């Protein structure tokens, strides 16, 4: 596979469930990002990792927990979510955090019931 | 953060050129102008970026006003595949100014 892949593509979970979103990039990049795209809001940056270190947390609630075990993989662990957390979650990568081009995955469509 | 203003939507006929405008009157001297687009059911993809001079690549051209307070993304020959939401984004050029702040963008419809 090439580019940025995300699994699962669709996820439905209850408010008491725990689930994880996975992102993998095959581009040899060193920076990875999580974004949230809600129906009525522009794309919002959630977290940034550069060389496996978290460099940005844009005031994201603690019910979202990122993990970056290596430069190729990024996870978003979810627990006790709210219905308003239903959104498209997009992963992206770039050569490093200063690179001008970010490559996005197709996203995971999350529905919280 | 410096903001951008784009029309909510535009229409174009297939195989005709499309000019997508963006106003950024509060742009600073180190801000780069980036364009991304998001096709239906996909993540955004990079289109082009520039600082002061006009730029061309295989996807599009970027025309930047002399005072840098506005820019125009030009698709030379629209195809149905170009139907997408186009985002004009200002990104700082200084260290640590790497975030992409997306707005609502312009939804481009291409009419066959």
């Amino acid at each position: 596979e090439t580019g940025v892949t995300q699994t699962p593509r669709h996820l439905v979970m209850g408010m008491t469930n725990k689930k994880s979103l996975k992102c993998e990039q095959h581009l040899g990049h060193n920076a990875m990002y999580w974004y949230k795209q809600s129906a009525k809001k522009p794309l919002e940056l959630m977290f940034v990792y550069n060389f496996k270190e978290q460099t940005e947390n844009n005031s994201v609630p603690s019910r979202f927990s990122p993990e970056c075990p290596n430069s190729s993989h990024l996870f978003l662990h979810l627990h006790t979510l709210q219905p308003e957390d239903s959104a498209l979650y997009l992963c992206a990568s770039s050569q490093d955090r200063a690179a001008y081009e970010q490559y996005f995955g197709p996203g995971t469509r999350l529905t919280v019931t | 953060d410096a903001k951008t203003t784009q029309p909510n939507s535009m229409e174009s006929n297939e195989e005709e050129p499309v000019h997508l405008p963006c106003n950024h009157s509060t742009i600073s001297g180190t801000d780069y102008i980036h364009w991304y687009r998001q096709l239906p059911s996909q993540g955004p993809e990079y289109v082009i970026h520039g600082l002061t001079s006009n730029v061309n690549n295989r996807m599009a051209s970027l025309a930047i006003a002399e005072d840098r307070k506005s820019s125009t993304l030009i698709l030379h020959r629209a195809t149905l595949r170009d139907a997408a939401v186009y985002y004009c984004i200002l990104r700082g050029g200084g260290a640590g100014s790497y975030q992409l702040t997306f707005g609502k963008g312009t939804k481009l419809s291409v009419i066959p």
Side-chain angles (χ1 to χ4, degrees):
Chain A
E1 287 215 56
T2 59
V4 180
T5 58
Q6 291 187 242
T7 54
R9 293 294 310 276
H10 300 272
L11 178 63
V12 179
M13 61 185 288
M15 289 190 284
T16 58
N17 290 159
K18 289 185 180 180
K19 296 285 185 183
S20 296
L21 310 184
K22 179 183 175 182
C23 174
E24 185 172 1
Q25 57 95 1
H26 307 267
L27 301 167
H29 290 166
N30 296 300
M32 296 189 77
Y33 313 78
W34 279 117
Y35 287 85
K36 176 184 178 182
Q37 188 169 35
S38 305
K40 297 182 179 179
K41 285 186 176 181
L43 215 69
E44 301 171 87
L45 179 65
M46 300 174 72
F47 302 104
V48 181
Y49 278 82
N50 196 44
F51 292 92
K52 299 189 295 179
E53 297 296 321
Q54 184 176 316
T55 59
E56 197 78 27
N57 175 342
N58 279 353
S59 303
V60 180
S62 59
R63 57 186 183 269
F64 295 91
S65 174
E67 179 190 1
C68 188
N70 55 60
S71 291
S72 299
H73 294 86
L74 185 65
F75 294 89
L76 188 62
H77 304 299
L78 316 170
H79 64 97
T80 59
L81 294 191
Q82 305 298 313
E84 59 265 29
D85 296 322
S86 298
L88 182 67
Y89 289 86
L90 290 155
C91 173
S93 72
S94 62
Q95 187 59 49
D96 54 55
R97 67 179 190 176
Y100 63 83
E101 184 172 355
Q102 291 185 17
Y103 293 77
F104 284 79
T108 295
R109 173 69 62 187
L110 174 68
T111 302
V112 181
T113 60
Chain B
D1 289 337
K3 288 188 175 180
T4 62
T5 304
Q6 300 177 252
N8 289 333
S9 62
M10 290 184 64
E11 275 189 358
S12 172
N13 293 319
E14 195 177 9
E15 300 189 5
E16 289 188 357
V18 183
H19 292 234
L20 296 163
C22 181
N23 288 321
H24 29 78
S25 58
T26 59
I27 191 170
S28 75
T30 57
D31 284 338
Y32 284 78
I33 303 157
H34 289 245
W35 284 82
Y36 278 73
R37 72 179 186 181
Q38 188 171 16
L39 279 64
S41 301
Q42 294 189 27
E45 65 174 339
Y46 167 83
V47 178
I48 201 167
H49 81 286
L51 183 62
T52 55
S53 304
N54 295 342
V55 185
N56 300 297
N57 66 20
R58 62 176 180 81
M59 288 182 71
S61 295
L62 177 60
I64 301 172
E66 197 169 331
D67 64 5
R68 301 210 325 125
K69 293 186 176 183
S70 65
S71 60
T72 303
L73 179 71
I74 303 165
L75 306 179
H76 296 285
R77 196 163 161 269
T79 69
L80 297 178
R81 197 193 170 278
D82 292 321
V85 178
Y86 287 78
Y87 300 99
C88 170
I89 301 165
L90 298 184
R91 186 176 181 223
S97 302
Y98 48 84
Q99 288 196 24
L100 293 175
T101 302
F102 287 79
K104 295 182 180 179
T106 297
K107 184 175 182 179
L108 175 67
S109 301
V110 179
I111 303 166

